[in-house]
Amino acid sequence: MLHRAILFAAALAMAAPVAAIEQTPPDVMVTGEITGVEHQTYREVPFDVPEGTERITVTLSYDKSNKTVVDMGVWDPARFRGWSGGSRDRFTIAPSDATPGYLAGALPAGRWRVMLGVPNARADSRAPYSVQIFFDRAGERRATAAIADPPLKAGPGWYRGDLHMHDAHSDGSCQSRGGRKVPCPLFRTVAAAAETGLDFIAVTDHNTTAHFGELRELQPYFDTMLLIPGIEVTTFGGHANIFGPTRFVDFRVGMPGRPDIRALQRDVAAAGAILSINHPALPSGEQCMGCGWTWQGTDYRAVTAIEAINGTMTEGPFAGLGFWYARLGEGHRLTGIAASDNHNPDVAPGNPPPGPAPIGRPRTVVHARALSMPAVLDGLRAGNVFLDIEGTNTRLLEVEAMADGERAAMGETLQGHRRTTVGAHVADAAGAFAELILNGQPTGARQQVGSDDARLTWALDAGQACGWLAVNVRDSARKLLLVGNPVYLSCSAVQPQR
């Protein structure tokens, strides 16, 4: 049989976009043909893995028209690494995770072998096949792109999620079938989240990627809720969630090669993740070891988000809202998020502060182009996001600033003008009050939300249209219901009144 291996030149590899499988050329492609004489035999497809490879993805396509069946598995230079038979047309292997049926672990350089088994090939059949191999290395994410799932929902919209929770892979617990407190299996956490109607969750176990492979296994079953791999990077100077890493990120700030927090931040970016500082205003020391954010020299340009609300800590000295507002006041553009920080899926709604919060309360609501991990992470970066404190599936807060025909939504910038109008669309909060926040301070311009589909407006003069604004919604007892993200106001075009 004719085998043809094509190694793409390095220049082409660097130039190709990592956006979709169709646009991502493989690093290696081997083509051939299965004929009837190979009925119930095995064929090796060798390929070489270069040094520094962080992930390998293999795809198989072949002509099935003559009832040919091809199974697939793989061996590394020293050992068996997995088998999926004829049930899959692709698999991925990395140190952090692998497709079910395959073994995560180190990716040794050298000669690997895809093994094709042929349980059926009719005597007169001819079935062309193609094996494509993709690598993650040197900043390229070809293997990650080649295993990416399609969006669970297409099209833009508001998607509701919980971005912080734990399970048996770190310190999550729940009640066993016999009534004992035990490390809680990940599927219990995911199932509890799905029952709340969430669109997405991030599972963020402390300093580990052990749950990543299990998330790959669970995602096809939980096909209405996106499962985002995350890590709560737990350091001596604070905790931060990272969302969407493709590999382990070393948390040991102060070790050789990681002298400060900025070294960790660079590694987070290199792993393809975004970083969100968790519960930043909590105390540190023996009262809560490493909980508050105390790292000097934090590069806030490399921070995407701040956990403004963690669990039942909505306001007060230990809530993150003030920390977030203070960083905004320093000129940093950071998305505020909210999350349950759940450690037990059996926790029911209604626990008063500072008790634990149930999954999905509070939740972060992100405007994204689709329900997929890249789209949700891009939505967090963009900042068109609001926080639903009570974790509903119906409340809505849309905010935009308008002037001279220009508009800017949350996370966007409006050039300064002499007169700016702020508009808010609030849904399912009749009887509450909306308050306008300018540069972190309530203006006193409160408006009642008169219906479950209310449109509210405020007018700003030139002296106010500078810095950033937000809209929050409170109930009649002044409890926060909804928290908006900033609309930024550029002062450059504002001319003083004469």
Side-chain angles (χ1 to χ4, degrees):
M1 292 299 112
L2 176 65
H3 292 265
R4 185 170 74 255
I6 302 173
L7 294 175
F8 284 79
L12 176 61
M14 293 299 291
V18 182
I21 296 171
E22 294 80 3
Q23 298 175 341
T24 306
D27 292 278
V28 179
M29 182 168 68
V30 181
T31 61
E33 191 174 60
I34 300 293
T35 67
V37 298
E38 291 172 284
H39 177 70
Q40 296 186 353
T41 65
Y42 295 94
R43 171 181 289 194
E44 288 188 356
V45 179
F47 65 97
D48 291 324
V49 173
E51 292 282 356
T53 298
E54 297 178 353
R55 180 178 295 275
I56 299 167
T57 295
V58 176
T59 69
L60 168 67
S61 60
Y62 65 95
D63 184 354
K64 303 177 182 180
S65 60
N66 286 318
K67 303 295 185 181
T68 299
V69 177
V70 179
D71 295 341
M72 178 170 59
V74 71
W75 273 252
D76 72 16
R79 66 187 180 113
F80 171 74
R81 293 301 293 268
W83 187 260
S84 51
S87 64
R88 300 182 188 277
D89 65 358
R90 68 193 62 223
F91 64 83
T92 193
I93 299 176
S96 60
D97 62 273
T99 298
Y102 292 81
L103 303 176
L107 304 178
R111 179 60 55 92
W112 287 53
R113 295 162 294 149
V114 171
M115 189 68 67
L116 302 181
V118 187
N120 192 66
R122 290 178 174 179
D124 58 351
S125 67
R126 306 180 72 87
Y129 70 83
S130 173
V131 175
Q132 297 187 329
I133 299 116
F134 305 80
F135 303 130
D136 279 1
R137 60 193 175 107
E140 292 287 314
R141 293 286 176 260
R142 296 171 180 272
T144 297
I147 201 65
D149 293 323
L152 297 187
K153 292 182 184 177
W158 290 103
Y159 295 104
R160 300 170 187 270
D162 189 341
L163 290 165
H164 190 167
M165 61 190 68
H166 301 274
D167 62 277
H169 292 282
S170 57
D171 55 351
S173 62
C174 60
Q175 193 174 68
S176 72
R177 296 293 295 272
R180 297 182 298 111
K181 181 179 178 180
V182 296
C184 199
L186 177 59
F187 81 87
R188 284 286 321 280
T189 293
V190 175
E195 288 299 315
T196 71
L198 289 166
D199 296 307
F200 64 89
I201 61 170
V203 181
T204 54
D205 285 309
H206 295 279
N207 294 339
T208 185
T209 60
H211 53 299
F212 283 17
E214 199 170 342
L215 289 173
R216 286 194 180 277
E217 179 182 355
L218 292 172
Q219 182 67 88
Y221 179 78
F222 291 95
D223 56 358
T224 61
M225 183 177 69
L226 178 68
L227 309 182
I228 298 174
I231 304 170
E232 184 167 14
V233 179
T234 308
T235 75
F236 299 140
H239 300 183
N241 276 339
I242 62 174
F243 305 123
T246 58
R247 58 167 173 78
F248 170 72
V249 171
D250 196 336
F251 55 91
R252 297 173 296 172
V253 177
M255 293 287 287
R258 312 184 75 76
D260 54 29
I261 192 62
R262 294 196 177 204
L264 184 146
Q265 290 182 278
R266 289 191 293 271
D267 198 16
V268 169
I274 64 173
L275 183 145
S276 174
I277 296 174
N278 292 347
H279 41 68
L282 283 180
S284 289
E286 290 186 356
Q287 186 177 359
C288 191
M289 290 178 287
C291 293
W293 192 259
T294 60
W295 284 115
Q296 299 296 314
T298 300
D299 182 2
Y300 283 98
R301 295 170 300 178
V303 176
T304 297
I306 300 287
E307 195 177 66
I309 297 174
N310 173 281
T312 58
M313 294 182 296
T314 303
E315 294 187 273
F318 295 150
L321 194 63
F323 184 96
W324 173 42
Y325 279 4
R327 303 293 80 74
L328 293 174
E330 294 168 354
H332 304 296
R333 298 198 172 193
L334 302 163
T335 302
I337 65 171
S340 68
D341 197 358
N342 181 269
H343 286 67
N344 183 349
D346 294 332
V347 172
N351 282 308
I359 292 174
R361 182 169 179 171
R363 58 187 67 181
T364 299
V365 189
V366 181
H367 196 275
R369 65 181 179 273
L371 184 55
S372 68
M373 187 169 73
V376 170
L377 298 188
D378 283 348
L380 289 170
R381 292 185 185 97
N384 195 2
V385 172
F386 70 90
L387 318 182
D388 186 339
I389 310 307
E390 295 187 344
T392 75
N393 289 322
T394 54
R395 283 186 178 147
L396 182 66
L397 175 60
E398 297 176 307
V399 180
E400 66 176 4
M402 301 152 283
D404 298 339
E406 298 179 16
R407 295 174 178 268
M410 292 183 290
E412 297 176 343
T413 301
L414 183 72
Q415 293 299 316
H417 295 269
R418 290 191 176 185
R419 187 168 182 82
T420 299
T421 300
V422 181
H425 176 207
V426 182
D428 195 30
F433 293 86
E435 60 182 2
L436 180 66
I437 308 294
L438 286 178
N439 298 313
Q441 298 299 319
T443 64
R446 298 174 66 216
Q447 295 191 42
Q448 185 167 19
V449 180
S451 71
D452 280 331
D453 188 29
R455 309 276 174 167
L456 309 173
T457 59
W458 294 264
L460 306 181
D461 60 28
Q464 294 174 304
C466 184
W468 60 274
L469 66 86
V471 174
N472 295 339
V473 177
R474 297 178 179 271
D475 68 14
S476 58
R478 302 288 297 169
K479 285 176 53 180
L480 272 173
L481 299 180
L482 302 170
V483 175
N485 263 271
V487 178
Y488 299 98
L489 304 171
S490 172
C491 308
S492 60
V494 176
Q495 300 298 321
Q497 294 277 9
R498 296 186 181 276

